[in-house]
Amino acid sequence: MQSKVIHNMTRKSDLTCTLHFQLAFIIPSLFVFLGGLFTILAFRLARYTYGFVLEQIWRKKVKGKDVWRPRKRKQSSVYWIRVFFTQVEMMLSAQTSMGCVLVILVFLLNIGSLIIYFVNLAEAEGYKISFPDSIIYVDTGFNAFFLFYFGLRFVAADDKLRFWLELNSLVDFFTIPPVFVSYYLNRNWLGLRFLRALRLLELPRILQFLRVTKNNYSIKLSKLFAVFIGTWLTAAGFIHLVENNGDPWVQPANSQSISYFKCMYLVMVTMSTVGYGDVVVQTALGRTFIIFFIIGGLVLFANIIPEVVEIVESHKSYKSSYEVVNGKNYIVVCGNITLESVTTFLQDFLLQDMGNVCTEILFLGESLPSLELEAVFKCYSAYTTFFYGSALNSGDLKRVGMESANACLILADVCSPQPYTEDTCNIMRVLSIKNHYPNTRVILQIIQSRNKVHLPNIPNWDWRRGDNIICLAELKLGFIAQSCLVPGLSTLLTSLFIGKENTETKRKHLKDKMLLGDKDYKVMTFQLSNDFADMTFIEVCRLCFVKLNLVLLGVELKFGSRGESAILINPSARIKLHRNTMGFFIAHSLAEVKKAQFYCKACHSDVQDPEQIKKCHCKRRLHSRSFSEILKLRSESLASHGQPAKSRSLIVLPPQRFVDGVSDVRGKEDSRVILDPTGRFHWCDAVRFHWCDAVPLQEALLSCKDQAALNLQDHILVCVFGDANSPLIGLQDFVMPLRASNFIYHELKDIVFLGSLEYLQREWKFIQNFPKLWLFSGSALCCADLRAVNVRDCSACAILSSNTTASRNPSLVDTESILATLNIRSMQDKPSSASLDAVFRGRALGNQSEPCYKRIPITTELKSSPNAQFINQAPSGNSAIPEQDQLSTTAAPAGAIFSDSFLNSLLSMTYYNHHILALLQTLVTSGTSPALEEQLLEMDSRLSRSPDDMVQNASQLRCKLALLPLSERLLMGVMEGSFRDVYCKALDLFGILCFGLYRLMEEPNPYKNRFVIARPASDLKMLPTDLLFCLVPFNVATTDGQRWEMESQL
């Protein structure tokens, strides 16, 4: 009995010694942590109390001298302290070279301390509690450096309390003091030293400092790896501690001898939910820890492992090389590779391919795709592949097979807040591609037109190989500018060139549904038959419409020895077609267009059905009457019926001398008109306005009291939203189509820009040479400013906005434009003081029910096309219009909005047929082909010496767009009044080419909304209120003043 008591006393004595030994290591850590925490809290309380008391004292004593002197000394001392703190913060954040070395050294020493812990694990296997440490001096040195680093971090911390409770600080509290206790006792205890494994969480940061991880996926992979390893080693260390020491309150001890490796095995089996059961925990602390660890570990393991596997596999596949197969077509798309741009491009590209996908698309992105973008690539995996790389890297270009690619398409971020930077990045991509693979075709999107000048300087850039520039701002502003002269034009051209015509609207408002059918007409190109050689364009145009049911818009005229070409739209009668001429048609299918090449005068002159015109193999040519002679006889027969001396129509239908020769009106203007050196645009008249070539800003600036502002009539109002820091819209692209030399000077309308003066000053230097431009400082959101610029008397209004980052919500990016549209629209419902002439024009646009009011054609630019729903002209709640008709009274079919998304399809369209883009640019911007631009640059000196001849020749080759009402003269002699009859008569008598209708929607239509019909059916009955989209020759006036002047001559 006595021996048993002695044994129990000895066991209790051993347990007491063990607890005391363990407390000797734990208590210093708790003392430092809790003592520091209480000290920080007490200091905060004292500082708050001191500040409160000092504030009460200062409220009682308000003396400047007593307060300011010590305050100045305090500020000076605080300044030097802050300088020191700033230097320490920069060093700890690795912003300096010394700081980078310090952070990396601390991490390496932490790894070294963790390795020492593993070494001590092997030494402690033969001991129960403590053990002699042979490398205690090394570990003490490491922890002394950690203590110094802890002090630096504490000094640099702005929030001491937050720093004290950080994870890294807690690791230092429970690992540094025990090492110094071990050094003092010359005995070591493992304790909580396993917490050093948590320092592995700093690994991703260190790898970034060393430039090992540079992209998103490598950084993410390193973070997942650090979290997994740190959690695994820390959990294993805790289980090793509690299982080898047992529960402190249990007697006898319930500890078990288990190695650290078995603890790691147990943690891995637990996280993976396998649970073999060969290694288990026995202590209460260990089991409690496992309960909570299973929940967190299961979530961690289930998320990390699949994500790591996916990252590794995707990274491996995105870094692979494309295997080029002979005969297989593929293109490379690079630049702005985002979810929105890729989705839009694929939709447009597949639409152009008509569902027969025979071209593989390789996307070369400079950042790894997001999960949403990966899902898109998986949906289109049959013909899309993503490669991670850059077009600026020759190795990445080789991986995607750039040398054998059919083309390289470079996407631009249209909504970029820095368009110049976006353009220069894309230009550098072009330079990289052309330097390594000069024969690869490149199609590039450019935001600002002034950045196009850099591309011709790139070696091996050649438009003859199919290299194309799609200037988004130039086309967009050209669309809007032409819509100010021709309302609804943007919708018409969008439907013809891009194929987005609103067929549902036509079906709802076209009475004769059979005439609509299921056809969607588009612009197509094909080579004309050589039988059309030596015929004028009008002759060929009429033959194609009557015989082939095709509308011919223009031809491509080749000249020069280097293959130069120019697109002529409805050219002068002096131009005759050559052999192998390409034509631009409006047709439904390519099969219809091919009939223009199959046409043979010998075989098809008597064929009436276009379906019977097929390719013939005859070698003979009958000496039949030429088409010119037939047209001449037809004209004579029309003239024999007699024509009225004067027409009562709104359009002047000029006499024959205006068609055959140079206009008399132009002859009167030549003495006063000044054109730019290229002869393409009207220039400022220094003699008339007593200005220099560049108009001073103050001379063009209007105010509410200016007489010029009060007398504004029939002008174009442009509402611009931008400030001093906004990127430039490029208003010169808006002005140039409206100042083209194919307009007579009196046809030019005053353009008033309403916006912030700081922004308009930045744009003025690019437009100061154009005539009839005015600036008004104000906002379209202010009714007083709108009244000051006579908004009710303007002929058209355009609303433009600059790219800003004010809102990331797509529904809010167009807020200002939408509110301005509604503001202007509300003002047009009020009585106007417009002249009778303006009211007469309002009736011509269809507003005949309210002759004293004038509808203002408004064209609004939207960054996000779904926002069109906010400016739809829906009737009021008490309207009798059915709900299904209310849905169709939208702004889009009427051509009242223009969205950037309309231009996204141009990239795919240009890849398949680059001639279509050239035709669109010629129509919208009144520009020329690249060949003519090069020729004008080479002939610059000659142009400056004798501009008159060049101006006359250039003007005769360029037509203009117009929206014309039906005239009595056009309908005279036409019994049925169909589109075919009006088309032929306008072409025969005046050379006017009609290709679309702008028709009023069916009643009830309180807003007099119209919709566009692109390429009306030949048998479509014309209505008196219909307006015709026409290509008018240069020498036919379209403005009212010239109409009345020229009509008096008939």
Side-chain angles (χ1 to χ4, degrees), residues 721-853:
F721 289 99
D723 51 34
N725 300 320
S726 300
L728 295 180
I729 299 174
L731 294 180
Q732 74 274 15
D733 294 324
F734 179 87
V735 174
M736 289 167 65
L738 301 178
R739 293 296 178 262
S741 60
N742 55 354
F743 289 103
I744 300 173
Y745 184 82
H746 287 301
E747 291 180 317
L748 303 182
K749 296 185 178 182
D750 291 298
I751 303 176
V752 181
F753 294 98
L754 174 63
S756 170
L757 183 59
E758 291 80 5
Y759 178 82
L760 294 177
Q761 285 176 340
R762 298 166 56 203
E763 290 273 13
W764 180 250
K765 62 181 180 180
F766 299 105
I767 60 176
Q768 59 186 351
N769 296 101
F770 296 101
K772 295 187 178 183
L773 300 185
W774 306 95
L775 306 179
F776 191 93
S777 178
S779 173
L781 302 177
C782 177
C783 293
D785 293 336
L786 292 175
R787 283 192 292 268
V789 294
N790 285 352
V791 66
R792 299 175 190 169
D793 297 333
C794 70
S795 63
C797 179
I799 300 176
L800 309 176
S801 62
S802 179
N803 290 334
T804 58
T805 56
S807 176
R808 296 183 179 180
N809 188 349
S811 301
L812 300 179
V813 295
D814 299 311
T815 301
E816 292 179 326
S817 301
I818 294 172
L819 295 179
T821 303
L822 300 177
N823 195 24
I824 297 173
R825 189 176 291 168
S826 66
M827 297 187 67
Q828 74 181 7
D829 294 332
K830 302 175 183 179
S832 173
S833 60
S835 62
L836 293 177
D837 189 31
V839 173
F840 195 55
R841 287 194 308 274
R843 288 185 177 181
L845 290 176
N847 193 4
Q848 301 183 12
S849 60
E850 298 179 2
C852 60
Y853 295 85

Side-chain angles (χ1 to χ4, degrees), residues 503-789:
T503 309
E504 276 305 309
T505 303
K506 293 197 300 183
R507 291 185 182 278
K508 289 181 179 180
H509 299 282
L510 201 59
K511 293 181 180 180
D512 195 348
K513 313 295 184 188
M514 298 300 295
L515 295 179
L516 177 62
D518 296 326
K519 292 187 176 182
D520 291 328
Y521 289 94
K522 294 184 65 175
V523 176
M524 300 181 181
T525 61
F526 213 80
Q527 187 172 332
L528 290 169
S529 171
N530 289 332
D531 283 10
F532 294 144
D534 296 329
M535 295 173 57
T536 64
F537 176 82
I538 294 178
E539 294 172 351
V540 179
C541 189
R542 194 181 196 284
L543 188 148
C544 289
F545 186 80
V546 175
K547 286 279 188 182
L548 310 177
N549 197 27
L550 297 174
V551 174
L552 180 63
L553 292 177
V555 293
E556 183 186 38
L557 179 64
K558 296 183 178 181
F559 60 92
S561 59
R562 296 185 298 172
E564 296 89 343
S565 62
I567 295 176
L568 303 180
I569 303 174
N570 193 14
S572 168
R574 298 180 178 181
I575 302 297
K576 292 189 176 181
L577 273 60
H578 305 293
R579 297 174 64 87
N580 302 323
T581 299
M582 179 177 291
F584 295 87
F585 302 90
I586 299 178
H588 172 61
S589 64
L590 189 61
E592 295 179 356
V593 178
K594 287 183 178 180
K595 300 182 187 302
Q597 187 185 38
F598 297 158
Y599 179 78
C600 173
K601 285 192 291 187
C603 301
H604 302 140
S605 58
D606 297 330
V607 177
Q608 300 298 328
D609 186 7
E611 298 297 331
Q612 297 180 4
I613 298 179
K614 300 180 180 179
K615 187 175 182 179
C616 65
H617 302 281
C618 66
K619 298 182 180 179
R620 57 189 179 88
R621 291 291 181 265
L622 298 178
H623 298 283
S624 58
R625 182 177 295 171
S626 66
F627 187 81
S628 303
E629 297 175 356
I630 297 175
L631 182 63
K632 183 177 180 181
L633 293 176
R634 180 176 177 84
S635 301
E636 292 176 354
S637 63
L638 290 174
S640 63
H641 291 85
Q643 298 290 348
K646 294 184 180 181
S647 174
R648 298 181 182 179
S649 62
L650 293 181
I651 177 176
V652 171
L653 304 176
Q656 192 66 27
R657 66 178 180 273
F658 284 91
V659 178
D660 295 337
V662 180
S663 170
D664 293 341
V665 177
R666 177 63 193 221
K668 297 177 182 178
E669 294 293 332
D670 280 341
S671 59
R672 297 180 297 177
V673 174
I674 294 180
L675 303 180
D676 72 314
T678 64
R680 295 170 55 192
F681 304 103
H682 287 272
W683 217 239
C684 286
D685 190 346
V687 177
R688 173 183 290 187
F689 300 103
H690 305 287
W691 295 335
C692 58
D693 289 342
V695 180
L697 176 67
Q698 296 300 325
E699 297 289 345
L701 192 61
L702 297 177
S703 63
C704 298
K705 299 180 180 180
D706 286 341
Q707 189 65 27
L710 299 176
N711 295 333
L712 285 174
Q713 296 286 338
D714 198 27
H715 56 288
I716 296 176
L717 177 62
V718 184
C719 305
V720 182
F721 289 99
D723 51 34
N725 300 320
S726 300
L728 295 180
I729 299 174
L731 294 180
Q732 74 274 15
D733 294 324
F734 179 87
V735 174
M736 289 167 65
L738 301 178
R739 293 296 178 262
S741 60
N742 55 354
F743 289 103
I744 300 173
Y745 184 82
H746 287 301
E747 291 180 317
L748 303 182
K749 296 185 178 182
D750 291 298
I751 303 176
V752 181
F753 294 98
L754 174 63
S756 170
L757 183 59
E758 291 80 5
Y759 178 82
L760 294 177
Q761 285 176 340
R762 298 166 56 203
E763 290 273 13
W764 180 250
K765 62 181 180 180
F766 299 105
I767 60 176
Q768 59 186 351
N769 296 101
F770 296 101
K772 295 187 178 183
L773 300 185
W774 306 95
L775 306 179
F776 191 93
S777 178
S779 173
L781 302 177
C782 177
C783 293
D785 293 336
L786 292 175
R787 283 192 292 268
V789 294

Side-chain angles (χ1 to χ4, degrees), residues 51-312:
F52 178 78
V53 173
L54 191 63
E55 183 179 359
Q56 297 297 325
I57 295 176
W58 281 356
R59 286 182 179 180
K60 296 180 180 179
K61 293 178 64 178
V62 184
K63 293 182 180 180
K65 294 182 179 180
D66 296 337
V67 175
W68 279 101
R69 287 186 179 179
R71 190 173 182 181
K72 288 183 180 180
R73 289 194 298 269
K74 182 178 180 182
Q75 287 181 350
S76 177
S77 61
V78 168
Y79 170 75
W80 292 108
I81 293 175
R82 289 306 306 169
V83 169
F84 173 74
F85 286 169
T86 302
Q87 295 296 326
V88 175
E89 288 177 358
M90 292 180 62
M91 183 173 62
L92 293 178
S93 60
Q95 298 184 26
T96 62
S97 57
M98 182 180 296
C100 188
V101 172
L102 177 64
V103 173
I104 295 176
L105 180 61
V106 170
F107 178 78
L108 294 177
L109 293 181
N110 275 282
I111 300 300
S113 181
L114 185 62
I115 294 175
I116 292 176
Y117 169 75
F118 293 146
V119 172
N120 290 335
L121 284 173
E123 295 179 351
E125 287 183 357
Y127 301 87
K128 292 184 177 181
I129 303 299
S130 62
F131 60 92
D133 191 354
S134 59
I135 53 176
I136 187 65
Y137 299 103
V138 177
D139 199 11
T140 303
F142 285 178
N143 283 270
F145 186 81
F146 296 154
L147 183 62
F148 168 74
Y149 185 68
F150 177 86
L152 289 179
R153 291 169 49 230
F154 179 78
V155 170
D158 293 329
D159 189 346
K160 308 298 182 183
L161 181 61
R162 183 177 180 180
F163 164 79
W164 205 258
L165 299 176
E166 284 181 352
L167 179 62
N168 290 334
S169 300
L170 295 177
V171 171
D172 290 338
F173 292 144
F174 292 98
T175 55
I176 295 178
V179 173
F180 290 103
V181 173
S182 299
Y183 179 80
Y184 177 77
L185 297 177
N186 200 21
R187 301 284 293 181
N188 203 345
W189 179 58
L190 295 175
L192 301 177
R193 290 168 58 191
F194 61 85
L195 293 177
R196 282 291 169 191
L198 293 176
R199 282 289 190 173
L200 289 173
L201 299 178
E202 297 290 324
L203 178 62
R205 184 186 175 197
I206 301 302
L207 294 178
Q208 292 182 50
F209 292 156
L210 298 176
R211 304 288 182 179
V212 177
T213 56
K214 299 180 181 179
N215 53 66
N216 183 31
Y217 272 50
S218 59
I219 294 174
K220 189 176 182 180
L221 185 62
S222 63
K223 287 183 178 180
L224 293 176
F225 175 79
V227 170
F228 180 77
I229 297 299
T231 305
W232 184 24
L233 296 181
T234 304
F238 182 83
I239 294 176
H240 180 269
L241 173 67
V242 297
E243 290 300 310
N244 282 277
N245 290 276
D247 296 321
W249 59 85
V250 176
Q251 286 296 329
N254 58 349
S255 61
Q256 63 172 329
S257 179
I258 183 173
S259 66
Y260 186 82
F261 177 76
K262 288 185 178 181
C263 294
M264 292 177 61
Y265 169 76
L266 176 62
V267 170
M268 181 60 67
V269 170
T270 303
M271 283 196 299
S272 61
T273 68
V274 176
Y276 290 114
D278 52 344
V279 180
V280 296
V281 293
Q282 296 180 358
T283 61
L285 288 176
R287 291 174 178 176
T288 304
F289 174 78
I290 288 296
I291 291 175
F292 293 100
F293 182 75
I294 287 177
I295 300 175
L298 179 62
V299 174
L300 182 68
F301 192 87
N303 288 330
I304 287 182
I305 299 303
E307 193 167 356
V308 170
V309 173
E310 186 176 2
I311 290 175
V312 173

Side-chain angles (χ1 to χ4, degrees), residues 333 337 342 345-346 361-365 377 384-388:
V333 182
I337 307 298
V342 169
F345 173 80
L346 288 176
I361 308 171
L362 310 183
F363 289 94
L364 182 62
F377 289 137
T384 61
T385 308
F386 179 83
F387 293 89
Y388 174 66

Side-chain angles (χ1 to χ4, degrees), residues 441 463 466 468 909-919:
R441 179 188 177 193
W463 57 269
N468 289 104
M909 182 190 69
T910 305
Y911 167 71
Y912 285 102
N913 193 343
H914 66 278
H915 296 95
I916 300 295
L917 175 64
L919 176 67

Side-chain angles (χ1 to χ4, degrees), residues 931-951:
L932 285 181
E933 290 182 354
E934 292 180 3
Q935 189 180 31
L936 289 174
L937 290 176
E938 295 174 358
M939 301 173 61
D940 186 36
S941 59
R942 189 172 64 181
L943 287 174
S944 61
R945 290 195 300 269
S946 57
D948 293 339
D949 294 337
M950 290 295 297
V951 168

